[in-house]
Amino acid sequence: MYAAITSDGQIIYANEMKETAEQPTFYCPTCQQVLTHKISSTGKGYFSHLTSCQNDLPARHTQESETHLTAKRLLQNTLEASGYAVQIEHPIEIAQQIADVYLLNSHSLTPRQVIEFQRVPIGAELIRSRTQNYLQAVDKCTWLIDEEVFKGGYRQTWLQTMVAYSSVLGFHWQALNVSKREWVIKFKMPIIYQAHRIQLSEKRLDLDVPLYNVWEFPENYVNDKVHYPLYRRPQRQATYYRHIKQIMTQSTYQKAIRDLYAKGVLLQTLPQWMVMERWQMLVFKSPGWLCLAWCFYLISQCEHDSFTKTDLENGIHALVQAGHLVMADMPLIEEDLVSLLVPSLVNLFLEKELIERAGYHRWKLHTKVHS
């Protein structure tokens, strides 16, 4: 068999397992017997029963999270009340995975869909492979996370991993608030934002009310009863020179500072707002000040010539290729992340009078910066 459950209720797929000296105990999702992980002659992983799988054996309670179990049943009840054929914990053989919620193809015009509620953070590569596997068998795979995670702020690797993108919603997340029985869509997340002050759009759907046309959901829900919450995070007041000192004394930034210096960029020569205003870029793991510093370097190379968005895109891609900037791994987004970033970056630089227009879709370093 290709899937097992750990003692805390997490689904583990055999092909994702790595051979290590210490492994958790695995249990059968059907009969709760202990399983062993093995490798076939073809090199594929699988789980094996010690004795044959039987439903009538005394079941061992695998302590699946009560929140996770409640969430799946809540989604099932709501979608069934909306007229959909639904199964939970549905095995999909071609994907060799077990879907939390599976919406059946009961009508020729109705696409099949998988809904996964992932409460516990896992790696981006697992999200990518599981999504690709599901899409071999269904038309759409929707990932939901626990809304509780947002209490930790938006600068989290898990949120970067689970963010999605569409032309209607922009950067967005879909989440569940199980205690409030709500499906939450947080969308129009700025790709460049200040860490202590973030405003985005939010739509909350009552799961005690039927959800219709779920195949186009959530795009068809965004125009009605949208909230615009403002996330604020207290920040310590510090002078410009204290900010500079904090950056320069951090060991993790020493190589980045040396690389900038090799290109003729000193922290002290950067516009003060790049350091003081705590900007972050959603699509980068690298800190915001470093991203802005390298982008400042790129446009400063065009001191006597104008540049286009394509020039800036190519420059940022080159910086990533050289290892100066590190992109976030966003497995749910197919679009080029740099192409999505550059329009907002140009707008920010225009607002800060770092650049000015030099013609149709062309910009140049602002004359104030020259002086």
Side-chain angles (χ1 to χ4, degrees), residues 4 38 45 111 119 122 180 194 196 223 266 272 280:
K38 298 180 179 179
R119 294 190 65 240
I122 59 177
K180 294 183 179 180
Q194 290 176 278
H196 63 281
N223 295 320
L266 301 176
Q272 290 194 12
Q280 298 291 350

Side-chain angles (χ1 to χ4, degrees), residues 51-335:
T51 59
S52 60
C53 181
Q54 300 179 42
N55 289 330
D56 58 352
L57 289 177
R60 178 196 182 280
H61 180 52
T62 55
Q63 298 181 349
E64 178 176 17
S65 162
E66 187 64 33
T67 301
H68 196 190
L69 184 60
T70 301
K72 290 185 290 188
R73 290 174 176 168
L74 177 60
L75 290 170
Q76 181 183 31
N77 294 338
T78 301
L79 292 169
E80 286 180 343
S82 305
Y84 297 102
V86 182
Q87 289 184 3
I88 60 174
E89 292 301 324
H90 179 74
I92 300 179
E93 291 295 333
I94 190 174
Q96 293 199 346
Q97 294 176 175
I98 299 174
D100 281 345
V101 180
Y102 179 65
L103 279 67
L104 302 178
N105 187 7
S106 57
H107 188 278
S108 60
L109 299 179
T110 304
R112 295 161 299 171
Q113 182 173 178
V114 162
I115 300 175
E116 285 286 292
F117 180 42
Q118 188 64 43
R119 294 190 65 240
V120 180
I122 59 177
E125 192 53 45
L126 289 182
I127 296 293
R128 180 179 291 106
S129 63
R130 292 183 183 183
T131 301
Q132 292 172 348
N133 290 340
Y134 279 133
L135 292 178
Q136 296 180 61
V138 300
D139 302 284
K140 187 176 182 180
C141 176
T142 298
W143 289 89
L144 304 176
I145 58 177
D146 193 331
E147 193 189 14
E148 287 290 309
V149 72
F150 292 98
K151 293 181 178 180
Y154 286 80
R155 188 65 177 172
Q156 299 182 56
T157 300
W158 179 230
L159 290 181
Q160 288 181 311
T161 298
M162 298 307 291
V163 70
Y165 178 83
S166 76
S167 59
V168 175
L169 299 177
F171 289 94
H172 64 279
W173 295 273
Q174 297 190 60
L176 282 184
N177 188 315
V178 178
S179 61
K180 294 183 179 180
R181 303 172 67 85
E182 292 178 329
W183 186 316
V184 184
I185 312 162
K186 294 179 182 288
F187 60 104
K188 300 294 185 184
M189 172 67 185
I191 194 170
I192 304 176
Y193 62 94
Q194 290 176 278
H196 63 281
R197 188 180 186 278
I198 305 169
Q199 186 159 28
L200 66 165
S201 304
E202 182 180 281
K203 176 73 176 179
R204 309 186 75 89
L205 303 173
D206 185 352
L207 290 178
D208 290 321
V209 177
L211 300 174
Y212 297 107
N213 199 17
V214 74
W215 310 111
E216 296 179 7
F217 173 80
E219 280 83 353
N220 57 342
Y221 282 89
V222 299
N223 295 320
D224 181 43
K225 297 181 180 178
V226 175
H227 304 284
Y228 303 94
L230 180 63
Y231 170 81
R232 292 182 181 274
R233 186 176 182 178
Q235 61 170 338
R236 296 174 58 186
Q237 296 297 321
T239 65
Y240 167 72
Y241 295 104
R242 183 175 179 180
H243 277 299
I244 291 290
K245 183 178 179 181
Q246 288 174 345
I247 293 173
M248 296 187 70
T249 55
Q250 285 198 39
S251 59
T252 54
Y253 295 153
Q254 295 305 304
K255 183 180 183 304
I257 294 172
R258 289 196 301 269
D259 290 343
L260 285 169
Y261 180 77
K263 297 293 186 180
V265 180
L266 301 176
L267 291 184
Q268 295 86 345
T269 63
L270 295 174
Q272 290 194 12
W273 62 268
M274 288 188 180
V275 179
M276 293 290 289
E277 296 183 6
R278 300 182 183 276
W279 292 95
Q280 298 291 350
M281 297 190 187
L282 181 63
V283 298
F284 278 107
K285 286 185 178 179
S286 303
W289 68 266
L290 182 59
C291 299
L292 291 170
W294 277 114
C295 291
F296 176 72
Y297 162 74
L298 289 177
I299 62 176
S300 67
Q301 300 305 295
C302 305
E303 183 175 347
H304 301 293
D305 299 313
S306 59
F307 64 91
T308 65
K309 289 181 180 179
T310 301
D311 295 330
L312 195 52
E313 288 176 18
N314 292 338
I316 294 174
H317 277 300
L319 291 171
V320 173
Q321 188 68 27
H324 296 309
L325 295 176
V326 180
M327 302 291 298
D329 195 350
M330 298 181 168
L332 303 182
I333 299 179
E334 296 181 353
E335 290 83 355

